[in-house]
Amino acid sequence: MLQKIRSVIVEDESAAREALKSYLAKYCPQIEVVGEAHNSKEAISILHELQPQLVFLDVEMPFGNAFDVLDECKDLYFETIFVTAFSEYSLRALNQSAAYYLLKPLSIEELILAVNKVQKHIINNEIFNRNKIIVENFREPKPEKQQVILPTLEGFEVIKMENIIRLQGNGNFTDIYLSDKSKKMVCRFLKHFTEILPHPFIRVHKSHIINIHFVKSYHKGSGGYVVLDDNTEIEISPSYKDEFLQVFK
């Protein structure tokens, strides 16, 4: 028989807590809820006491947010499924860290999907401290100094954003070219990175996103093209040209 996943729910709204518990009981029988916390202070002590394998963590709470909880629990290892009311900032942070998150109001399908992914990690013993990177990113005010977790065919890689020169769409994948001349093939569409990468990244073509810090020169034309520090020439689509030139004004 499959071992249950010991889990804690951290959520300040009692109705939301009860709803999540009843969904888990009904649709995710592999989850055993061993504890609950109503705010970040309670969460920190309960997580140290119970040391669960999985935490359902509300992003915004009284007395601090999810990132404060993770910071205080960085000596613990657990998988996290964030639960959040939509906020562009927190979603970008979670996407950059390849975290699992559920939007309120909860979708049962999304909940089952997230729990199944976490279960797979736990069964395969894929120990990967995503929480540490989420906290580091949250504490780093300069976006280009933050890290992004890239899902590759072999697993995950953690890359500093400032080391990415450019990204190129490649069917269902994205090729990422780095300043050390290496290339990573990532299991995500290019559109995913348009949504999660902050300035200095800019889309210049349906197949290309570039880091403007690596632009060496720009050559005019209907859209024109740029030459990057690694001597790659990247065409600029006419539809992206104005946005590109705006950055350099």
Side-chain angles (χ1 to χ4, degrees):
M1 200 175 99
L2 205 56
Q3 263 198 320
K4 295 244 181 185
I5 298 169
R6 298 174 64 259
S7 307
V8 166
I9 295 173
V10 180
E11 165 64 72
D12 62 312
E13 294 169 23
S14 57
R17 253 193 339 273
E18 292 309 313
L20 178 53
K21 268 200 306 193
S22 80
Y23 287 167
L24 290 170
K26 192 169 179 183
Y27 301 104
C28 304
Q30 68 271 55
I31 297 292
E32 179 191 5
V33 177
V34 294
E36 296 173 40
H38 312 126
N39 58 49
S40 54
K41 276 184 187 163
E42 260 183 43
I44 292 159
S45 83
I46 281 176
L47 295 182
H48 277 96
E49 183 194 332
L50 299 177
Q51 306 216 351
Q53 293 163 288
L54 169 62
V55 178
F56 292 90
L57 186 55
D58 191 11
V59 173
E60 291 301 333
M61 291 171 285
F63 311 116
N65 60 27
F67 306 106
D68 299 316
V69 173
L70 295 182
D71 203 16
E72 291 293 329
C73 297
K74 56 179 176 272
D75 54 324
L76 304 177
Y77 179 80
F78 51 82
E79 289 279 356
T80 308
I81 294 177
F82 294 88
V83 182
T84 175
F86 181 76
S87 134
E88 206 173 308
Y89 177 74
S90 60
L91 286 194
R92 178 177 273 184
L94 299 178
N95 272 321
Q96 284 167 358
S97 310
Y100 304 117
Y101 61 83
L102 301 167
L103 292 178
K104 293 177 179 179
L106 294 186
S107 142
I108 291 162
E109 289 79 9
E110 294 290 327
L111 174 65
I112 294 168
L113 209 63
V115 166
N116 287 345
K117 282 179 179 169
V118 165
Q119 181 180 23
K120 210 153 96 182
H121 276 191
I122 290 169
I123 290 170
N124 296 339
N125 206 17
E126 289 173 25
I127 302 300
F128 183 76
N129 201 343
R130 206 178 272 114
N131 293 340
K132 179 173 164 284
I133 290 154
I134 291 168
V135 171
E136 285 171 6
N137 278 353
F138 188 71
R139 299 272 179 256
E140 172 52 70
K142 289 184 176 166
E144 68 271 21
K145 297 279 183 196
Q146 292 173 357
Q147 301 164 89
V148 61
I149 298 180
L150 305 175
T152 62
L153 292 169
E154 293 78 40
F156 285 99
E157 289 214 31
V158 183
I159 304 285
K160 273 213 168 122
M161 289 193 221
E162 63 185 346
N163 296 331
I164 299 173
I165 297 180
R166 65 187 182 93
L167 304 91
Q168 183 170 353
N170 177 5
N172 294 344
F173 297 90
T174 296
D175 292 329
I176 297 184
Y177 294 83
L178 302 172
S179 53
D180 66 1
K181 297 188 167 58
S182 66
K183 179 177 97 169
K184 309 287 178 197
M185 190 191 225
V186 180
C187 314
R188 287 285 183 275
F189 289 110
L190 190 65
K191 182 178 186 292
H192 168 77
F193 293 102
T194 307
E195 289 161 6
I196 70 162
L197 290 177
H199 179 83
F201 292 92
I202 180 169
R203 193 160 186 166
V204 294
H205 186 279
K206 71 177 193 324
S207 304
H208 297 285
I209 293 171
I210 61 170
N211 180 341
I212 61 167
H213 291 164
F214 288 97
V215 170
K216 199 155 69 169
S217 60
Y218 165 68
H219 301 263
K220 288 179 182 170
S222 63
Y225 66 94
V226 286
V227 179
L228 302 178
D229 283 356
D230 63 356
N231 291 320
T232 319
E233 291 182 6
I234 304 289
E235 185 191 340
I236 296 181
S237 296
S239 54
Y240 290 104
K241 183 180 174 180
D242 287 349
E243 196 186 334
F244 169 76
L245 292 176
Q246 201 63 41
V247 173
F248 287 94
K249 274 193 172 164

